[in-house]
Amino acid sequence: MQKLNHHHWQSNRFSLKQRTPASMLRAAIQAQAGRNAFTLIEMLIVIMLISILASVSLISTDTSGSVSLDTTARMLVADLRLARNYAIKFNTQYTVKFDSNAQSYEILHTGAGNLPVPQDLLAGSGTASDKYIKHLQIQSMNLPNQIFIRQIQLKTSQTNVSELEFGPMGGTGPARNEDTIIMLSTTKNGTAFYIPITVSWVTGQAWVEDIQRLTN
């Protein structure tokens, strides 16, 4: 029995010796391949992250002005629609009055009776609750002194105006029987750009036009 066991151990030992180099070689190749694959994945992830960061950097550097201009225009349009909705809701007149010197605008109730103005829930605690005033370069999400009100005029006659009054039907007529154009502007690398906002005198609806380069 001992001889048999000894022979069996010798046989296994011989078999192990025969298999060990090949097994070790395969294991080494597999391990090396695994390490190479993992390293390649890591490199791809790093390259992808660098590309994303570079894209974000380019966007923030090259288009920050246009993004701020569009965002501010849409904020203003939202407030114009708010004034219009209040005029329809209370069957009266609400006016958006612009102050180009202060670069601000205010929603006022200009009809009969004592009716409320909208509440600005995003305004600070120091703002009067009975007023709705937006300072363009403070409360809009853009860089200081970057976006400003350039011009407000009637579309056909090109008469300069400083306010928009919405009536019970939502429009600005009959007192104003032509569309109103509000122009916001910014400067990027020495070039001036503007974005027009059109307000229909018939329906009072307001919408943002495309950004354009100022040529004069």
Side-chain angles (χ1 to χ4, degrees), residues 37-38 70 79 111 188 202:
F38 185 72
D70 185 74
D79 284 336
K188 180 70 175 178
V202 178

Side-chain angles (χ1 to χ4, degrees), residues 179-207:
D179 294 350
T180 305
I181 307 296
I182 304 169
M183 186 188 298
L184 302 183
S185 182
T186 189
T187 301
K188 180 70 175 178
N189 297 328
T191 302
F193 298 89
Y194 70 94
I195 186 168
I197 299 170
T198 301
V199 183
S200 168
W201 75 273
V202 178
T203 65
Q205 291 288 354
W207 61 90

Side-chain angles (χ1 to χ4, degrees), residues 4-20:
L4 181 61
N5 290 339
H6 180 72
H7 176 73
H8 181 71
W9 178 81
Q10 290 290 345
S11 176
N12 287 341
R13 183 181 178 186
F14 178 78
S15 176
L16 181 63
K17 287 180 179 179
Q18 292 295 325
R19 291 198 306 267
T20 296

